[in-house]
Coordinates of all heavy atoms in Angstrom, one line a residue:
F97 N 5.8 0.7 -19.7 CA 4.8 1.6 -18.8 C 3.4 1.3 -19.4 O 2.5 1.1 -18.4 CB 5.3 3.0 -19.0 CG 4.3 3.9 -18.2 CD1 4.5 4.1 -16.8 CD2 3.3 4.7 -18.8 CE1 3.6 4.9 -16.1 CE2 2.4 5.6 -18.1 CZ 2.7 5.7 -16.8
N98 N 3.1 1.5 -20.5 CA 1.7 1.4 -21.0 C 1.1 0.0 -20.8 O 0.1 -0.1 -20.5 CB 1.7 1.8 -22.4 CG 1.8 3.2 -22.7 OD1 1.6 4.1 -21.8 ND2 2.4 3.6 -24.0
E99 N 2.0 -1.0 -20.8 CA 1.5 -2.4 -20.7 C 1.2 -2.6 -19.3 O 0.0 -3.1 -18.9 CB 2.6 -3.4 -21.1 CG 2.1 -4.8 -20.8 CD 3.3 -5.6 -21.0 OE1 4.6 -5.2 -21.2 OE2 3.3 -6.9 -20.6
L100 N 2.0 -2.0 -18.4 CA 1.7 -2.2 -16.9 C 0.4 -1.4 -16.5 O -0.4 -1.9 -15.7 CB 3.0 -1.6 -16.1 CG 4.1 -2.6 -16.2 CD1 5.4 -1.9 -15.6 CD2 3.9 -3.9 -15.3
V101 N 0.3 -0.2 -17.0 CA -0.8 0.7 -16.7 C -2.1 -0.1 -17.2 O -3.1 -0.3 -16.4 CB -0.7 2.0 -17.5 CG1 -2.1 2.7 -17.4 CG2 0.3 2.8 -16.8
E102 N -2.1 -0.7 -18.4 CA -3.2 -1.3 -18.9 C -3.7 -2.6 -18.1 O -4.8 -2.9 -17.8 CB -3.1 -1.7 -20.3 CG -3.2 -0.4 -21.2 CD -2.9 -0.5 -22.6 OE1 -2.6 -1.6 -23.1 OE2 -2.8 0.5 -23.3
L103 N -2.5 -3.4 -17.7 CA -2.7 -4.5 -17.1 C -3.4 -4.2 -15.6 O -4.3 -4.8 -15.1 CB -1.3 -5.1 -16.8 CG -1.3 -6.7 -16.6 CD1 -2.2 -7.4 -17.5 CD2 0.2 -7.2 -16.6
E104 N -2.8 -3.0 -15.1 CA -3.4 -2.7 -13.7 C -4.8 -2.3 -13.8 O -5.6 -2.6 -13.0 CB -2.4 -1.6 -13.2 CG -2.6 -1.3 -11.6 CD -1.9 -2.3 -10.8 OE1 -1.8 -3.6 -11.3 OE2 -1.5 -2.0 -9.8
I105 N -5.1 -1.6 -14.9 CA -6.6 -1.1 -15.0 C -7.5 -2.3 -15.2 O -8.5 -2.4 -14.6 CB -6.8 -0.3 -16.2 CG1 -6.0 1.1 -16.0 CG2 -8.1 0.1 -16.6 CD1 -5.9 2.1 -17.2
L106 N -7.1 -3.3 -16.2 CA -7.9 -4.5 -16.3 C -8.1 -5.4 -15.0 O -9.1 -5.9 -14.8 CB -7.3 -5.4 -17.4 CG -7.3 -4.9 -18.9 CD1 -6.5 -5.7 -19.6 CD2 -8.7 -4.8 -19.3
D107 N -7.0 -5.4 -14.3 CA -6.9 -6.2 -13.1 C -7.8 -5.5 -12.0 O -8.4 -6.3 -11.2 CB -5.5 -6.4 -12.6 CG -5.4 -7.7 -11.7 OD1 -6.4 -8.2 -11.4 OD2 -4.2 -8.0 -11.5
T108 N -7.8 -4.2 -11.7 CA -8.4 -3.5 -10.7 C -9.7 -2.7 -10.9 O -10.4 -2.3 -10.1 CB -7.4 -2.6 -10.1 OG1 -7.0 -1.5 -11.1 CG2 -6.0 -3.2 -9.6
G109 N -9.8 -2.3 -12.2 CA -10.9 -1.4 -12.7 C -10.7 -0.1 -12.3 O -11.6 0.8 -12.4
K110 N -9.5 0.3 -11.9 CA -9.3 1.7 -11.5 C -9.1 2.5 -12.8 O -8.8 2.0 -13.9 CB -7.9 1.8 -10.5 CG -6.6 1.5 -11.3 CD -5.6 1.7 -10.1 CE -5.6 0.6 -9.1 NZ -5.0 1.0 -7.9
S111 N -9.1 3.9 -12.6 CA -9.2 4.8 -13.6 C -7.7 5.0 -14.3 O -6.9 4.7 -13.5 CB -9.7 6.3 -13.2 OG -8.7 6.8 -12.4
L112 N -7.8 5.4 -15.5 CA -6.4 5.5 -16.2 C -5.5 6.4 -15.3 O -4.3 6.0 -15.3 CB -6.8 6.1 -17.5 CG -5.5 6.4 -18.4 CD1 -4.8 5.1 -18.9 CD2 -6.0 7.3 -19.8
S113 N -6.0 7.6 -15.0 CA -4.9 8.5 -14.3 C -4.4 7.9 -13.1 O -3.3 8.2 -12.7 CB -5.6 9.8 -14.1 OG -6.7 9.8 -13.2
A114 N -5.3 7.2 -12.3 CA -4.9 6.6 -11.0 C -3.9 5.5 -11.4 O -2.7 5.5 -10.7 CB -6.1 6.1 -10.3
A115 N -4.1 4.7 -12.4 CA -3.2 3.6 -12.7 C -1.9 4.2 -13.2 O -0.7 3.7 -12.8 CB -3.8 2.7 -13.8
Q116 N -1.9 5.2 -14.0 CA -0.7 5.9 -14.5 C 0.2 6.5 -13.4 O 1.4 6.1 -13.3 CB -1.0 7.0 -15.5 CG -1.5 6.4 -16.9 CD -1.9 7.6 -17.7 OE1 -2.5 8.6 -17.2 NE2 -1.9 7.5 -19.1
G117 N -0.5 7.2 -12.6 CA 0.2 7.7 -11.4 C 0.9 6.6 -10.5 O 2.1 6.8 -10.0
Q118 N 0.0 5.5 -10.3 CA 0.7 4.5 -9.5 C 1.9 3.7 -10.2 O 2.7 3.2 -9.4 CB -0.3 3.5 -9.0 CG -1.4 4.2 -8.0 CD -2.8 3.7 -8.0 OE1 -2.9 2.3 -8.2 NE2 -3.8 4.3 -7.7
V119 N 1.6 3.5 -11.3 CA 2.9 2.6 -12.1 C 3.9 3.6 -12.1 O 5.1 3.1 -11.8 CB 2.4 2.3 -13.4 CG1 3.6 1.7 -14.2 CG2 1.3 1.2 -13.4
M120 N 3.7 4.9 -12.4 CA 5.0 5.7 -12.4 C 5.6 5.8 -10.9 O 6.9 5.7 -11.0 CB 4.5 7.1 -12.7 CG 5.7 8.2 -13.0 SD 7.0 7.5 -14.1 CE 6.3 7.7 -15.7
Q121 N 4.8 5.8 -10.0 CA 5.5 5.8 -8.6 C 6.3 4.5 -8.3 O 7.2 4.6 -7.8 CB 4.4 6.0 -7.6 CG 5.2 6.6 -6.3 CD 4.6 6.0 -5.1 OE1 5.1 4.9 -4.8 NE2 4.0 6.8 -4.2
A122 N 5.7 3.4 -8.8 CA 6.4 2.1 -8.6 C 7.6 2.1 -9.3 O 8.7 1.7 -8.6 CB 5.5 1.0 -9.2
I123 N 7.9 2.7 -10.5 CA 9.1 2.8 -11.1 C 9.9 3.8 -10.3 O 11.2 3.4 -10.0 CB 8.8 3.5 -12.5 CG1 8.1 2.5 -13.3 CG2 10.3 3.9 -13.2 CD1 7.4 3.1 -14.8
E124 N 9.4 4.9 -9.9 CA 10.3 5.9 -9.1 C 10.7 5.3 -7.8 O 11.7 5.6 -7.2 CB 9.5 7.2 -8.8 CG 9.5 7.8 -10.2 CD 8.5 9.1 -10.0 OE1 7.9 9.3 -9.1 OE2 8.3 9.9 -11.1
D125 N 9.9 4.3 -7.2 CA 10.4 3.6 -5.9 C 11.6 2.9 -6.1 O 12.6 2.8 -5.3 CB 9.2 2.7 -5.5 CG 8.1 3.4 -5.1 OD1 8.1 4.7 -4.7 OD2 6.9 2.9 -5.0
F126 N 11.8 2.1 -7.3 CA 12.9 1.4 -7.6 C 14.1 2.4 -7.8 O 15.3 2.1 -7.3 CB 12.9 0.6 -8.8 CG 12.1 -0.9 -8.4 CD1 10.6 -0.9 -8.4 CD2 12.8 -1.9 -8.0 CE1 10.1 -2.0 -8.1 CE2 12.2 -3.1 -7.6 CZ 10.7 -3.3 -7.7
E127 N 13.9 3.5 -8.4 CA 14.9 4.4 -8.6 C 15.4 5.1 -7.3 O 16.4 5.3 -7.0 CB 14.4 5.6 -9.6 CG 14.3 5.0 -11.0 CD 13.6 5.8 -12.0 OE1 12.9 6.9 -11.5 OE2 13.7 5.7 -13.2
F128 N 14.3 5.4 -6.5 CA 14.6 5.9 -5.2 C 15.6 4.9 -4.3 O 16.5 5.4 -3.8 CB 13.4 6.2 -4.4 CG 13.6 6.6 -2.9 CD1 14.0 7.9 -2.6 CD2 13.4 5.8 -2.0 CE1 14.3 8.2 -1.3 CE2 13.6 6.1 -0.5 CZ 14.2 7.3 -0.2
Y129 N 15.2 3.7 -4.2 CA 15.9 2.8 -3.5 C 17.2 2.5 -4.1 O 18.3 2.0 -3.4 CB 15.2 1.6 -3.1 CG 14.2 1.8 -2.1 CD1 12.8 1.7 -2.3 CD2 14.6 2.1 -0.8 CE1 11.8 2.1 -1.2 CE2 13.7 2.4 0.3 CZ 12.2 2.3 0.0 OH 11.5 2.6 1.0
A130 N 17.3 2.5 -5.4 CA 18.7 2.3 -6.1 C 19.7 3.4 -5.6 O 20.9 3.2 -5.4 CB 18.5 2.5 -7.6
G131 N 19.2 4.6 -5.3 CA 20.0 5.7 -4.8 C 20.2 5.6 -3.4 O 21.3 5.6 -2.8
A132 N 19.1 5.3 -2.6 CA 19.3 5.3 -1.1 C 20.1 4.2 -0.6 O 20.9 4.5 0.3 CB 17.8 5.2 -0.5
I133 N 20.2 3.0 -1.2 CA 20.9 2.0 -0.7 C 22.5 2.2 -0.7 O 23.1 1.8 0.0 CB 20.6 0.7 -1.5 CG1 21.1 -0.5 -0.7 CG2 21.2 0.7 -2.9 CD1 20.6 -0.7 0.7
V134 N 22.8 3.0 -1.8 CA 24.3 3.4 -1.9 C 24.7 4.1 -0.7 O 26.0 3.9 -0.2 CB 24.5 4.2 -3.2 CG1 26.0 4.5 -3.4 CG2 24.1 3.3 -4.3
S135 N 23.9 4.9 0.0 CA 24.5 5.7 1.2 C 23.9 5.0 2.4 O 24.0 5.7 3.5 CB 24.2 7.1 1.1 OG 22.9 7.3 0.8
H136 N 23.2 3.9 2.3 CA 22.7 3.2 3.6 C 23.8 2.6 4.3 O 24.5 1.6 3.7 CB 21.6 2.2 3.2 CG 20.9 1.6 4.4 ND1 21.0 0.4 4.7 CD2 20.2 2.2 5.4 CE1 20.4 0.2 5.9 NE2 19.8 1.2 6.3
R137 N 24.3 3.0 5.5 CA 25.4 2.3 6.0 C 25.3 2.4 7.6 O 24.3 3.0 8.0 CB 26.6 3.2 5.6 CG 26.6 4.6 5.9 CD 27.9 5.3 5.6 NE 28.2 5.4 4.2 CZ 27.9 6.5 3.4 NH1 27.5 7.6 4.0 NH2 28.3 6.5 2.2
G138 N 26.2 1.6 8.2 CA 26.2 1.7 9.6 C 26.9 2.9 10.2 O 27.0 3.8 9.6
S139 N 27.2 2.7 11.4 CA 27.7 4.0 12.1 C 29.1 3.8 12.8 O 29.5 2.5 13.0 CB 26.8 4.5 13.3 OG 26.5 3.5 14.2
V140 N 29.9 4.6 13.1 CA 31.1 4.5 13.9 C 30.9 5.3 15.2 O 30.4 6.4 15.2 CB 32.2 5.2 13.1 CG1 33.5 4.9 14.0 CG2 32.5 4.4 11.8
N141 N 31.1 4.6 16.3 CA 30.8 5.1 17.7 C 32.1 5.2 18.5 O 32.9 4.3 18.5 CB 29.7 4.3 18.3 CG 28.5 4.2 17.4 OD1 27.9 5.1 17.1 ND2 28.2 2.8 17.2
S142 N 32.2 6.3 19.0 CA 33.4 6.5 19.9 C 33.2 5.8 21.2 O 32.3 5.8 21.8 CB 33.7 8.0 20.1 OG 32.7 8.6 20.8
L143 N 34.4 5.2 21.5 CA 34.4 4.6 22.9 C 35.8 5.0 23.5 O 36.6 5.6 22.9 CB 34.5 3.1 22.6 CG 33.3 2.2 22.0 CD1 33.7 0.8 21.8 CD2 32.2 2.4 23.0
P144 N 35.8 4.8 24.9 CA 36.9 5.3 25.6 C 38.2 4.5 25.2 O 38.1 3.2 24.8 CB 36.7 5.2 27.0 CG 35.4 4.2 27.1 CD 34.8 4.2 25.7
G145 N 39.3 5.0 25.3 CA 40.6 4.3 25.2 C 40.8 3.6 23.7 O 40.6 4.4 22.8
A146 N 41.3 2.5 23.8 CA 41.6 1.8 22.6 C 40.5 0.9 22.0 O 40.8 0.2 21.1 CB 42.9 1.0 22.8
F147 N 39.3 1.2 22.4 CA 38.2 0.4 21.9 C 37.6 1.1 20.7 O 37.6 2.3 20.7 CB 37.2 0.2 23.0 CG 37.7 -0.6 24.1 CD1 38.1 0.0 25.3 CD2 37.7 -2.0 24.1 CE1 38.5 -0.8 26.3 CE2 38.1 -2.8 25.1 CZ 38.6 -2.2 26.2
Q148 N 37.1 0.3 19.8 CA 36.4 1.0 18.6 C 35.2 0.1 18.4 O 35.1 -1.1 18.7 CB 37.2 1.0 17.4 CG 38.4 2.0 17.4 CD 39.0 2.1 16.1 OE1 38.6 1.6 15.1 NE2 40.0 3.1 16.1
N149 N 34.1 0.9 17.9 CA 32.8 0.3 17.6 C 32.4 0.7 16.2 O 32.5 2.0 16.0 CB 31.7 0.6 18.7 CG 30.3 0.0 18.2 OD1 29.4 0.6 18.3 ND2 30.3 -1.3 18.0
H150 N 32.1 -0.2 15.4 CA 31.3 0.2 14.3 C 30.1 -0.7 14.0 O 30.1 -1.9 14.7 CB 32.1 0.3 13.0 CG 32.5 -1.0 12.4 ND1 33.5 -1.8 12.8 CD2 31.9 -1.7 11.3 CE1 33.6 -2.9 12.2 NE2 32.6 -2.8 11.3
T151 N 29.0 -0.3 13.3 CA 28.0 -1.2 13.2 C 27.8 -1.4 11.6 O 28.2 -0.6 10.8 CB 26.6 -0.6 13.6 OG1 26.3 0.6 12.8 CG2 26.8 -0.1 15.1
E152 N 27.3 -2.5 11.4 CA 27.0 -2.9 10.0 C 25.4 -3.3 9.8 O 24.8 -3.7 10.7 CB 27.7 -4.2 9.5 CG 29.3 -3.8 9.3 CD 30.1 -4.8 8.8 OE1 29.7 -6.0 8.7 OE2 31.3 -4.6 8.7
Q153 N 24.8 -2.8 8.7 CA 23.5 -3.1 8.4 C 23.4 -4.3 7.5 O 23.8 -4.3 6.2 CB 22.9 -2.0 7.7 CG 22.6 -0.7 8.6 CD 21.7 -0.9 9.7 OE1 20.6 -1.3 9.4 NE2 22.0 -0.6 10.8
E154 N 23.1 -5.6 8.2 CA 23.1 -6.8 7.4 C 21.6 -7.0 6.9 O 20.7 -6.8 7.8 CB 23.6 -7.9 8.2 CG 25.1 -7.8 8.5 CD 25.7 -9.0 9.1 OE1 25.0 -9.8 9.6 OE2 26.9 -9.1 8.9
P155 N 21.5 -7.5 5.8 CA 20.1 -7.9 5.4 C 19.5 -8.8 6.3 O 20.2 -9.8 6.7 CB 20.1 -8.4 3.9 CG 21.7 -8.8 3.9 CD 22.5 -7.8 4.7
V156 N 18.3 -8.8 6.5 CA 17.6 -9.5 7.6 C 17.4 -11.0 7.2 O 17.4 -11.9 8.1 CB 16.3 -9.0 8.1 CG1 15.1 -9.0 7.1 CG2 15.7 -9.6 9.4

Side-chain angles (χ1 to χ4, degrees):
F97 179 77
N98 289 332
E99 178 197 353
L100 288 167
V101 167
E102 287 169 7
L103 203 49
E104 198 75 327
I105 294 172
L106 288 169
D107 204 349
T108 61
K110 68 178 71 208
S111 69
L112 177 67
S113 65
Q116 285 173 329
Q118 291 159 28
V119 172
M120 187 49 77
Q121 205 226 69
I123 295 168
E124 290 170 354
D125 295 339
F126 280 91
E127 292 168 342
F128 172 76
Y129 284 110
I133 194 60
V134 174
S135 55
H136 185 248
R137 54 174 72 101
S139 57
V140 176
N141 304 299
S142 63
L143 292 178
F147 295 98
Q148 288 194 0
N149 174 234
H150 76 278
T151 66
E152 286 178 5
Q153 291 290 309
E154 294 191 340
V156 68

